[in-house]
Amino acid sequence: MIGFFVRSPVRTDRGYFRDTWVDKLATSFAIAGVSVPHYWLGMVLVIIFSVELNWLPAVGAGPGGSGAWAWDGSTSAI
């Protein structure tokens, strides 16, 4: 939903301002968005929202990764 409401005005503006700096800027953002690998973007977002802003936990349900993500060698050994 967010993508639709952001994309629709941008695409309308790109059609209206064809071959101008607005069109080139929107095209550059679109190419950059498609070119960024998802795993890299995920790591960057974890660093920003978990480490820098401290808004979200980096991993797990509790402090230090305790909870459901606590793995030991015996459960993950094949």
Side-chain angles (χ1 to χ4, degrees), residues 4 9 13-14 16 23-26 29 35-36 38-39 41 43-44 50 55 58 60 63-65 67 69 74:
F4 175 77
D13 289 344
R14 282 184 60 195
Y16 185 75
D23 181 36
K24 292 177 183 175
L25 181 68
F29 278 124
S35 300
V36 173
H38 295 161
Y39 63 88
L41 180 63
M43 289 188 294
V44 169
S50 299
W55 288 358
W69 292 101
S74 64

Side-chain angles (χ1 to χ4, degrees), residues 26-77:
T27 302
S28 299
F29 278 124
I31 291 172
V34 170
S35 300
V36 173
H38 295 161
Y39 63 88
W40 183 81
L41 180 63
M43 289 188 294
V44 169
L45 291 175
V46 167
I47 290 171
I48 291 171
F49 289 109
S50 299
V51 177
E52 298 296 326
L53 297 175
N54 202 20
W55 288 358
L56 300 170
V59 66
S66 64
W69 292 101
W71 290 8
D72 60 352
S74 64
T75 59
S76 62

